[in-house]
Structures are given as structure tokens and as C-alpha cells.
Amino acid sequence: MTLMKRILGSLLALIVVVLGALYWLGTRDDASTGPAAAPSDPQQRIERGRYLALAGNCVACHTARGGPAYAGGTPIPTPFGTLYGPNITPDDKTGIGAWTADDFWQALHNGKSRDGTLLYPAFPYTEYTRVSRADADALFAYLRTVTPVSQANRPPELEFPYDQRILLAAWRALYFKPGALEPDPGQSEQWNRGRYLVEGVGHCAACHAPRNSLGATRPADGLTGGVIPGLEWYAPPLTNDPRTGLGRWSAQDIADLLQTGIAAHSSASGPMAEVVLGSTQHLTGEDALAMGVYLKSLPDTPASTAASAAPVSAAAMELGGKLYRQQCVQCHQAAGEGSAGAWPALAGNPTVTAPSPVNAIRIVLDGGFAPATAANPRPHGMPPFGQMLNDNDIAMLVSYIRNSWGNSAGGVTSLEVKRARAAATRN
């Protein structure tokens, strides 16, 4: 009995030590600040912050549709429930009017609110931790200038046990390591700038990295693509895999898509169209190209969800080809080459050749509309075919374009189309 008590006591002590270590790792702060080149002139700092707010697309999560800017309320769906973007206007009671620059830095860099509360990672502090203190201060200075709005923050609507915030300490211990991004002396200034925008301010991994069952991304997985939780769109790989990623793109092609919404190999649609509209079209040409240069330096890692292509029957290709000639050939051309500057090519298009066919299906169902940008104010659009074609027709049509003109992405079933219809209705 005494031996058993000793064993149980040792196990209990071990559990306490492990839990304590997890809590410490999950709540620790990081003091690094990164490059500290902030404009000394107050107006220049505010303007810098305004640009960073656009580059980081802060409006997307902090401005509800039809609501005042930065007053919060935007629903953010996740597999664990719905969170709502908080009010970040300088209102003293409901916004961040009582915050200091140190408080704001703590939120971005260490993922903690003003009172030390651990923040849910729907706020991408996992990427924002790489933002320098100088840029965090500039962003805060800009937010202090927006119109204050008295609007209470809506609490998260999460399922148990995800509504137990204390559990975030364990999640953070496993998946979050705070730390500013230091320049790589072995790379060019342009490359370092691109990495900073992609990995930090632009938080591209929030959509373009695969997530595990606990909603975490891992640096080892890179930007290999994944389904965006709650939206059921597929964010394609940003690696240089020639079949599913950016292998056929140039750095300038990437910059063109970011600034105009359309490029030689594809056009922005779905959530990416909104990103271009609200964020990346406002990038300077130098910054957009720097992001392209950095992304072109990534390895040709295949998509994380890549699977062997499902075979397509000759009958499906024949019927899909007939539908293509009836409905699509006028804009996308007989060889899928598209019309430059108007309708994107389908041959080699990452949206078409992605491991998941959901984007191609949803565009056929609901239409494809590139964003109206300053550089491309009157983009051509694609009408919806969801009312005209049934699930089987769309399955054959998408199967055809995914396996023609050098594409070899596999077939699509009518069940996948049915699911995409249902997802479009929910969203």
C-alpha cells in the first residue's frame, strides 16, 4: 500500500510539473522587437500605420458589413464555433481608447489582451508576432485617429471545451512561439521585405497553410494550401510546385494578381477577391513585387492535400467537352488559353488544377467575379451556371477542364457538386 501511494504521488507530481510547464510555455512573453526604424514625424507614423492596416487587411475582421470602420462585430466562423472581430476604434469603453502602445504591442506580439487575457488565435497573432515594434506603434498611432465608435464587443460563441480560455495555454505551448522576424543577412533587401509581408503583416499562412484538428498551422508544413475553415473555399499552395502551386508564375505575375486581381495564369475569386479589394491592391508596386520574389524562392513542395487524381471516364470527358463548347469556349477559348486581361486561362490555372475541386465548382455554380481595383476598374465577370446546369452536368464540365490541355487534376463527382451548393448556401 505504501509503495502504491508513492507511485500515485509521483504520478501526481509529474502531472503537476507537466501542466505547470505547459502553462508557463503557453503564457510566456517575448521581449524581442525586431527592426526599430519608425518614422519620427507623427504624421508620417500615422500614414505608415494606415498603409500597414491596408496591407494587413484589418478591415476584414474588424468591420461588420455595413457597419462603421473598425468597430468590430464581423463573424469569424471556425470549426469550434463563431468568434466576432472586436472594436478597435479609440473608444475608451468599448474600443482600445484606454490602451497604450505597450498594450497594443502585447496583443500583436504575445497574443494577450490589455489585462493579460489569452487571445483566441482567430486573431492571427501567430503571424503578427513577427511584426516589428516600430510597425506595431505606427499601426496603433493610425488606429488612434479613426472615428471612435461606442459598440460593445460580442462574446465568442464556442462549443465546450473550446470556450474554456485557460486551455489556450496548452494550445499556445504546442503551437505558438512569439518572436519578431529578423532580416536574413544572406538574402536581398527585397527578399527580406517580401518575407516580412508574407509571414508577418500579410499573415498569408492564415489561409494558405493547412490546419490540424486543433486549428493550428505548423511552420514545417509551409504555405502548401488548405481549405479555409468555415468558408469552404480552398486556398491554393503558394509553393513552386508546377502543377498545384506557383511554379509557372513569375514574381511579376504574383504582383499583378495582388494589385489588379488578374494575372496571366488565374484571377482572384472568392475570399481572395475580397483580400485584393480590401488589401493588396493598395500595396506599392515595390512591396507587391517583393512578395512575389519571396514566394518564388519557396521550394516546389506539393500541396499538403495532394492525392492521386481520380480517373475520369471517356464518357464524362465527352459530355463535359460538349458542355464546355456550348457554355465556355467563347471566353476561355478552345485550348483553354483564355483571353489576356479579360478571362483567365484554364490550362495550368491553379484554381482548376488544385487538389480540391471546390473553387472551380463554386465558380461554375455562382459565377466568377474578379475585384474592381484601381488598376482594373472594370473587370470581366463570369455568369453563374448553377441554375442552368444540374449537379451531374457541372461535375462533368469541371472534370473536363481539370483534365484537358495538359491539366491532370482528376475527376469530380456530382456529390462534390451537391456539397459545394450546400456550402454556398450556408455562406
Side-chain angles (χ1 to χ4, degrees):
M1 183 62 71
T2 301
L3 179 60
M4 182 61 68
K5 287 182 178 180
R6 289 178 178 176
I7 292 173
L8 290 175
S10 298
L11 287 174
L12 180 60
L14 180 61
I15 291 172
V16 170
V17 169
V18 170
L19 291 177
L22 284 174
Y23 184 81
W24 178 81
L25 286 171
T27 58
R28 70 197 187 284
D29 288 343
D30 176 78
S32 61
T33 60
S40 57
D41 179 80
Q43 193 55 45
Q44 288 182 350
R45 185 180 298 123
I46 291 169
E47 180 58 27
R48 175 69 176 165
R50 185 194 68 81
Y51 178 77
L52 290 166
L54 289 169
N57 201 20
C58 300
V59 163
C61 290
H62 295 282
T63 304
R65 189 181 299 274
Y70 299 110
T74 307
I76 304 171
T78 77
F80 317 106
T82 302
L83 297 98
Y84 297 88
N87 183 343
I88 56 171
T89 71
D91 180 69
D92 285 342
K93 294 184 177 179
T94 63
I96 60 172
W99 287 39
T100 66
D102 287 342
D103 296 331
F104 190 75
W105 167 252
Q106 165 138 298
L108 263 66
H109 191 67
N110 288 309
K112 295 181 181 180
S113 189
R114 182 186 180 212
D115 61 0
T117 300
L118 301 181
L119 298 175
Y120 285 104
F123 173 60
Y125 58 82
T126 46
E127 284 74 49
Y128 286 162
T129 188
R130 300 182 180 97
V131 173
S132 70
R133 177 63 193 255
D135 279 352
D137 287 351
L139 182 55
F140 181 69
Y142 165 68
L143 291 174
R144 300 283 293 179
T145 70
V146 305
T147 303
V149 178
S150 178
Q151 178 169 291
N153 291 312
R154 187 169 174 178
E157 298 171 357
L158 299 174
E159 301 173 0
F160 182 84
Y162 308 109
D163 59 348
Q164 304 300 303
R165 201 179 286 261
I166 188 64
L167 297 179
L168 282 173
W171 187 94
R172 290 160 56 101
L174 294 171
Y175 303 117
F176 175 54
K177 183 178 181 181
L181 190 64
E182 296 290 344
D184 184 341
Q187 297 286 350
S188 68
E189 182 178 344
Q190 183 184 45
W191 183 94
N192 277 294
R193 177 62 177 171
R195 181 180 65 151
Y196 180 73
L197 291 167
V198 168
E199 295 188 4
V201 176
H203 60 286
C204 300
C207 291
H208 291 276
R211 294 182 181 273
N212 63 19
S213 60
L214 292 177
T217 60
R218 300 187 312 158
D221 292 330
L223 300 173
T224 52
V227 175
I228 304 173
L231 298 182
E232 303 308 318
W233 281 84
Y234 180 79
L238 300 182
T239 66
N240 276 286
D241 179 66
R243 188 172 71 87
T244 62
L246 301 175
R248 304 183 186 187
W249 294 51
S250 68
Q252 188 60 57
D253 289 335
I254 298 170
D256 289 343
L257 182 76
L258 293 173
Q259 291 193 291
T260 71
I262 189 167
H265 304 282
S266 190
S267 61
S269 58
M272 188 61 199
E274 296 179 15
V275 171
V276 173
L277 180 65
S279 177
T280 61
Q281 70 159 316
H282 303 289
L283 293 170
T284 64
E286 292 80 3
D287 276 353
L289 185 59
M291 292 177 71
V293 167
Y294 171 69
L295 290 173
K296 287 301 296 180
S297 74
L298 299 181
D300 58 352
T301 309
S304 61
T305 55
S308 57
V312 184
S313 69
M317 288 295 289
E318 181 180 353
L319 291 172
K322 182 179 179 180
L323 287 166
Y324 181 84
R325 291 186 291 274
Q326 290 173 344
Q327 308 293 345
C328 314
V329 72
Q330 184 175 355
C331 297
H332 293 288
Q333 308 303 314
E337 70 270 31
S339 301
W343 294 281
L346 300 179
N349 186 322
T351 298
V352 174
T353 60
S356 169
V358 65
N359 293 4
I361 293 171
R362 292 189 67 166
I363 290 171
V364 174
L365 283 171
D366 302 321
F369 304 94
T373 60
N376 186 27
R378 296 181 179 85
H380 293 270
M382 171 180 156
F385 290 89
Q387 299 299 318
M388 180 186 302
L389 303 177
N390 62 36
D391 291 353
N392 194 54
D393 288 338
I394 292 176
M396 289 186 290
L397 174 58
V398 177
S399 292
Y400 175 77
I401 66 173
R402 280 168 60 85
N403 294 278
S404 298
W405 322 298
N407 296 343
S408 57
V412 175
T413 67
S414 57
L415 179 58
E416 288 175 303
V417 178
K418 182 179 181 179
R419 289 172 176 165
R421 279 190 195 269
T425 301
R426 289 194 301 269
N427 297 329

